[in-house]
Amino acid sequence: MNESTPTRRRPGRPPRADGARADTRAALLRQGMAMLTERGFNAVGIDEVLRAVGVPKGSFYYYFASKDDFGLAALQAYAGYFAAKLDRHFLDTGLPPLARIEAFIADADAGMARHGYRRGCLVGNLGQEMSALSEPFRARLEAVFADWQARLTACLQAAVAAGELAADTDCARWSAFFWTGWEGAVLRARLAGSGAPLRLFGEFFLAALPRPAA
Amino acid sequence: MNESTPTRRRPGRPPRADGARADTRAALLRQGMAMLTERGFNAVGIDEVLRAVGVPKGSFYYYFASKDDFGLAALQAYAGYFAAKLDRHFLDTGLPPLARIEAFIADADAGMARHGYRRGCLVGNLGQEMSALSEPFRARLEAVFADWQARLTACLQAAVAAGELAADTDCARWSAFFWTGWEGAVLRARLAGSGAPLRLFGEFFLAALPRPAA
């Protein structure tokens, strides 16, 4: 949209407020992602999130329809953040494809270390709490895993094309195997307060991938 | 102890009550294990557990010192149940060692299917909730994983001895890799409402194990 295009706004709502509302909503989601990745959905109260951001208690429903709506929006924000992280590594043509996967694992480890291994993966946390969550969460969580799986599959296919992996590698199934185990590694890293489980899982996964016949 | 031996009891507590207390405590733990493996520690209230077993609300502290005490006792009961399951498979000399691991995976799948894939692993659930749990849980969860790891290591060593695996297989690290990923597979199975992630993880794990040179 160029500068001369008149913008359409809903009547009765001043332009400034829309921007402020979006900023506050984004701040609540950032805070929510941090708290939910650390403690999960059930253990975190909306009031704590509002207090941490300095938003008056009564105004929550100005930003979100419900706690579920807030959780789903936080999940969507997290999925966007994580997809960008995956693209940064898996599409990094400066490295051979398998080294990109190593770089992602090292980055994930560094990210967890930065928060003292207290924060896990929002997708894993919500997945573990599934039975206490509403149905829309399940569909959304499955969709996020499917998205991650597709991104890693493409990177493994690039490794096949580069001759790093055997030509008949079933990239989609290897990718499914990776993400299945990865959430377990994140859980163990939090429990151990150490990145060793992430590194162990990454090392064994990469070593197990089928190489081309010599 | 034979019948003529006088039994020593604490004064003022009738013999019957001790047995009844132990029975009720065991029933509360069984119910707790079922509810906690389905919904986690934070989401389950003590009142629900008491109600499900038909124990009066006020009498909880007759059985447990606190909710933490209850959770730790449920974890211990679960660890005992699971160790027996592992022994039943990993020490089954009627099967070659690697087939015992396959049998365990099939049993775990059948167990999850029996409850519609709603119940996960109590150790995984509590591990995921770690940051909201007290410190004694962490030590206990780590100890349970170390125990499972030792049992699978022994089974892999039996596979080496039987010539199913390469002589230089690092059984302890392969076992650590298995349990790291396994919790992720349990999480995905709950989310998908299907045993496919358990079977995928088991299949790839077994295929990746180093075989002896032909």
Side-chain angles (χ1 to χ4, degrees), chain B residues 46-189:
Chain B
I46 285 299
D47 289 356
E48 302 174 75
V49 181
L50 294 168
R51 202 161 43 235
V53 178
V55 171
K57 198 171 156 175
S59 64
F60 176 74
Y61 294 101
Y62 179 55
Y63 302 101
F64 301 98
S66 62
K67 188 182 175 187
D68 269 19
D69 180 37
F70 173 68
L72 286 164
L75 174 56
Q76 187 170 333
Y78 183 86
Y81 147 83
F82 206 84
K85 185 199 276 279
L86 293 179
D87 278 354
R88 202 162 58 242
H89 292 294
F90 294 167
L91 303 177
D92 175 8
T93 51
L95 288 176
L98 294 186
R100 300 176 203 168
I101 300 173
E102 281 183 69
F104 159 70
I105 292 166
D107 181 7
D109 185 10
M112 285 192 74
R114 207 154 43 235
H115 300 290
Y117 296 99
R118 286 185 310 277
R119 295 188 188 168
C121 167
L122 184 54
V123 173
N125 282 9
L126 292 173
Q128 199 69 269
E129 294 182 278
M130 196 51 234
S131 61
L133 299 178
S134 64
E135 194 53 34
F137 278 97
R138 182 193 304 274
R140 189 73 197 114
L141 290 166
E142 285 277 33
V144 175
F145 274 124
D147 175 72
W148 295 356
Q149 218 150 291
R151 285 172 209 264
L152 180 58
T153 299
C155 188
L156 292 170
Q157 283 165 343
V160 170
E164 289 189 299
L165 294 181
D168 63 351
T169 304
D170 188 338
C171 297
R173 274 175 55 87
W174 277 97
S175 176
F177 173 61
F178 178 85
W179 291 114
T180 295
W182 180 253
E183 287 297 334
V186 171
L187 182 152
R188 289 295 295 274

Side-chain angles (χ1 to χ4, degrees), chain A residues 20-36:
Chain A
R21 179 177 178 279
D23 289 352
T24 304
R25 195 172 184 280
L28 288 168
L29 287 176
R30 270 195 307 277
Q31 185 62 38
M33 275 194 278
M35 287 181 159
L36 298 178

Side-chain angles (χ1 to χ4, degrees), chain A residues 52-67:
Chain A
V53 178
V55 171
K57 199 170 155 175
S59 63
F60 176 73
Y61 293 101
Y62 179 54
Y63 302 103
F64 301 98
S66 61
K67 189 181 174 187

Side-chain angles (χ1 to χ4, degrees), chain A residues 130-155:
Chain A
M130 195 52 234
S131 60
L133 300 178
S134 64
E135 194 54 34
F137 278 97
R138 182 192 304 273
R140 189 71 196 116
L141 290 167
E142 286 278 32
V144 175
F145 274 124
D147 175 73
W148 295 355
Q149 220 148 290
R151 284 171 209 263
L152 180 58
T153 298
C155 188

